[in-house]
Amino acid sequence: MTDNFIQSKIIDDVTAPQLAKAEAVASLHQKNGVTPKYFIQTFGCQQNEADSERLAGLCTMMGYEPASSPAEAKLILCNTCAVREHAEKKALSIIGQYKHIKDADPSVIIGVGGCMVTQQARADKLKMSYPYVSFTFDTGAIHTVPTLVYEALTGGKRRFVLSDEWKISEGLPITRSSRHQAWLSIMYGCNNFCSYCIVPYVRGRERSRKAEDIIEEARQLIAGGAKDITLLGQNVNSYKGGDGCDIAELMHRICALDGDFRLRFMTSHPKDASDRLIEAMASEEKIVKHFHLPVQSGSDRILAEMNRKYTRDSYLEKIAKLKAAVPDVSITSDIIVGFPGETDEDFEDTLSMMSEVRYDMVFSFIYSPRSGTPAAKMENQIPREVSSARMERLLALGDGISKERNQRFVGRTLRVLVEDVSKYDSTTLTGRGNPVRPIHFKGDKSLIGQFVNVKITGNETFCLNGELV
Ligand code: 5AD
Ligand code: SF4
């Protein structure tokens, strides 16, 4: 087993039989005297990346080794996203390419999971039009993959799993893709039903893990070398761990663990951005001073149509509190352009919101109608040319503000976790600290995974440059 494999000590009744099945798959391979390879293709958000690490953990338990390309693999798993149409198209195109692999070797098993196939219509499409796909599994059925693989290996029928209910499966093994950076899911699902969003339909209702289970996993991660832990959830700040344990309390408890590490969290909903959470960020040294607080729009009319449950003013009040409590905070946001009925005035409100908040970075998206959501049925869908022109203006404004915000770091020495070697130059390292943009500096790759001090010397729009101190 690889160094990056971790197996939790707490295994619940949902997970235990599946782990036994994983061992049964490993025995089959052993009997045949083979060590086959697996390949996982991941689309979408950090939650999907975390899910893929659990899938990799199951593959490791089932006796597979990682492959560097799908062509080498005997088991291919595709973890899909459904948040925008583009993501679904990309996944379908990649799955289409797997046909050649299956034609060349009919013993290859291909499974598709994630948000796309949690929609009945998409699962049906894969069943009918992609006959080489062995099984699909929804976002609540990741733990069932060992059974699905076992059945596929032993000549069972194709399976298309859509669960009746979403349970937490505690104790799935994890094969982490990085030793020093870790995702830690603390809750799943979403209750907010923003009118444009497919997530509540494909990830189910909110359910929080028990605080003790999360803290135990954090302890294990830190012992295994994790230095940067991100608490994950679709709506992470509505975490309810029982006995009044909210996200602020949970973070205080994790920060109290021994070790040199730092803590992040995402994604937050503005309605649940509590004073307690802001105070936790202000008081705990280990919490990174970065708050991702998606605003989506600056227009009260559009916010109401989006069912966001806050107003421009109440959002700005939270931002003011946050800036007062954490003066050096980096604030980022998601913004949707071209929501149905968005007028020029509404869009100007979004631009003025950006100018007022002065975001360190904005992730912007052109509205994509999602079948089954209320917004997809709204009149006044915005023509693509109008949305694209608005998007260009938003990007230009966002990049200018981002560069101005980065400027405050120039001349300062920052504590940076070295993450990797630059893709463009093997003598340059990249790392991250409080700034949301990556930091580039010269150094040896033996520093990867360590904290170093870097003096920031330059500011580009998409990164900061510096030198080791
Ligand atoms: N169209 C465009 N963007 C969307 N998002 C969610 N649903 C849609 C959609 N239908 C964006 C939101 C969310 C981010 C993860 O994706 O901005 O915060
Ligand atoms: Fe989607 Fe809104 Fe839930 Fe975020 S809070 S996942 S945008 S429904």
Side-chain angles (χ1 to χ4, degrees), residues 189-450:
C190 178
N191 292 350
N192 288 322
F193 290 94
C194 300
S195 62
Y196 51 82
C197 187
I198 195 75
V199 167
Y201 307 90
V202 293
R203 290 238 170 222
R205 296 296 71 72
E206 286 177 6
R207 52 221 184 268
S208 297
R209 292 176 68 196
K210 285 193 215 122
E212 306 82 79
D213 296 352
I214 296 167
I215 289 161
E216 182 50 40
E217 188 171 330
R219 200 176 278 126
Q220 244 183 316
L221 289 169
I222 297 159
K227 295 218 160 53
D228 186 306
I229 299 176
T230 305
L231 305 184
L232 284 185
Q234 254 79 38
N235 189 13
V236 75
N237 54 340
S238 77
Y239 173 78
K240 289 177 196 70
D243 294 332
C245 182
D246 61 1
I247 183 158
E249 166 75 19
L250 181 71
M251 291 213 286
H252 284 306
R253 288 172 66 182
I254 296 175
C255 287
L257 296 174
D258 285 338
D260 190 11
F261 65 92
R262 60 194 187 189
L263 195 58
R264 304 171 187 269
F265 57 99
M266 73 186 325
T267 288
S268 299
H269 192 294
K271 77 173 168 44
D272 300 314
S274 66
D275 291 354
R276 282 170 52 77
L277 177 54
I278 293 173
E279 279 156 22
M281 181 178 274
S283 64
E284 291 286 1
E285 213 185 310
K286 287 176 176 169
I287 300 181
V288 177
K289 310 305 174 221
H290 168 206
F291 213 125
H292 183 60
L293 203 57
V295 70
Q296 311 297 358
S297 168
S299 150
D300 276 340
R301 202 180 63 78
I302 295 292
L303 286 173
E305 292 284 309
M306 287 177 161
N307 191 30
R308 287 293 286 176
K309 306 180 185 95
Y310 55 85
T311 60
R312 179 185 174 103
D313 281 352
S314 67
Y315 180 92
L316 284 170
E317 250 170 58
K318 298 220 169 164
I319 295 286
K321 267 191 196 167
L322 178 59
K323 286 181 176 172
V326 192
D328 200 26
V329 67
S330 294
I331 304 173
T332 56
S333 187
D334 294 344
I335 290 181
I336 295 179
V337 175
F339 182 82
E342 183 187 71
T343 62
D344 286 340
E345 292 72 42
D346 293 321
F347 178 63
E348 291 300 332
D349 286 347
T350 296
L351 294 183
S352 72
M353 187 78 171
M354 287 168 64
S355 299
E356 210 163 319
V357 177
R358 309 213 79 71
Y359 291 110
D360 287 75
M361 188 153 73
V362 166
F363 299 89
S364 45
F365 309 100
I366 290 184
Y367 168 72
S368 168
R370 304 284 64 212
S371 164
T373 62
K377 293 188 219 94
M378 288 179 184
E379 286 170 11
N380 264 330
Q381 299 282 328
I382 305 294
R384 188 79 190 180
E385 327 70 87
V386 175
S387 301
S388 300
R390 286 179 186 167
M391 178 61 110
E392 262 179 51
R393 286 185 61 201
L394 187 148
L395 288 174
L397 177 67
D399 287 351
I401 296 173
S402 189
K403 184 149 191 201
E404 169 210 299
R405 290 288 298 153
N406 277 343
Q407 193 60 32
R408 75 190 194 278
F409 296 114
V410 176
R412 279 163 61 179
T413 297
L414 305 177
R415 192 155 186 262
V416 173
L417 177 65
V418 186
E419 295 197 320
D420 213 340
V421 175
S422 158
K423 270 186 266 175
Y424 309 104
D425 168 12
S426 62
T427 63
T428 298
L429 301 173
T430 73
R432 271 199 312 167
N434 268 11
V436 283
R437 300 291 189 187
I439 299 162
H440 295 316
F441 50 97
K442 293 278 178 203
D444 189 79
K445 66 173 193 273
S446 60
L447 294 173
I448 291 172
Q450 293 183 33

Side-chain angles (χ1 to χ4, degrees), residues 58-75:
L58 289 170
C59 289
T60 306
M61 267 193 109
M62 289 188 285
Y64 290 87
E65 281 182 353
S68 47
S69 76
E72 294 179 353
K74 284 283 186 190
L75 172 62

Side-chain angles (χ1 to χ4, degrees), residues 121-169:
R122 293 284 184 269
D124 289 349
K125 183 178 169 117
L126 284 172
K127 186 174 179 178
M128 306 306 290
S129 312
Y130 296 74
Y132 50 90
V133 168
S134 319
F135 57 81
T136 66
F137 53 101
D138 65 61
T139 55
I142 287 175
H143 59 285
T144 66
V145 164
T147 296
L148 297 170
V149 171
Y150 186 87
E151 287 177 5
L153 275 173
T154 53
K157 281 197 191 134
R158 297 170 76 209
R159 290 274 306 272
F160 301 87
V161 180
L162 283 171
S163 322
D164 301 331
E165 54 176 339
W166 276 273
K167 287 186 189 154
I168 289 184
S169 37

Side-chain angles (χ1 to χ4, degrees), residues 6-75:
I6 62 169
Q7 172 65 73
S8 164
K9 290 180 201 126
I10 306 150
I11 297 169
D12 67 14
D13 295 348
V14 179
T15 305
Q18 296 297 334
L19 300 191
K21 228 13 173 209
E23 275 161 16
V25 172
S27 302
L28 283 180
H29 295 319
Q30 230 168 16
K31 231 186 270 165
N32 295 334
V34 291
T35 309
K37 294 192 171 173
Y38 74 92
F39 184 85
I40 300 176
Q41 175 76 52
T42 308
F43 294 95
C45 62
Q46 291 85 0
Q47 194 72 60
N48 260 18
E49 285 180 30
D51 284 346
S52 285
E53 290 190 345
R54 283 185 267 271
L55 288 170
L58 289 170
C59 289
T60 306
M61 267 193 109
M62 289 188 285
Y64 290 87
E65 281 182 353
S68 47
S69 76
E72 294 179 353
K74 284 283 186 190
L75 172 62

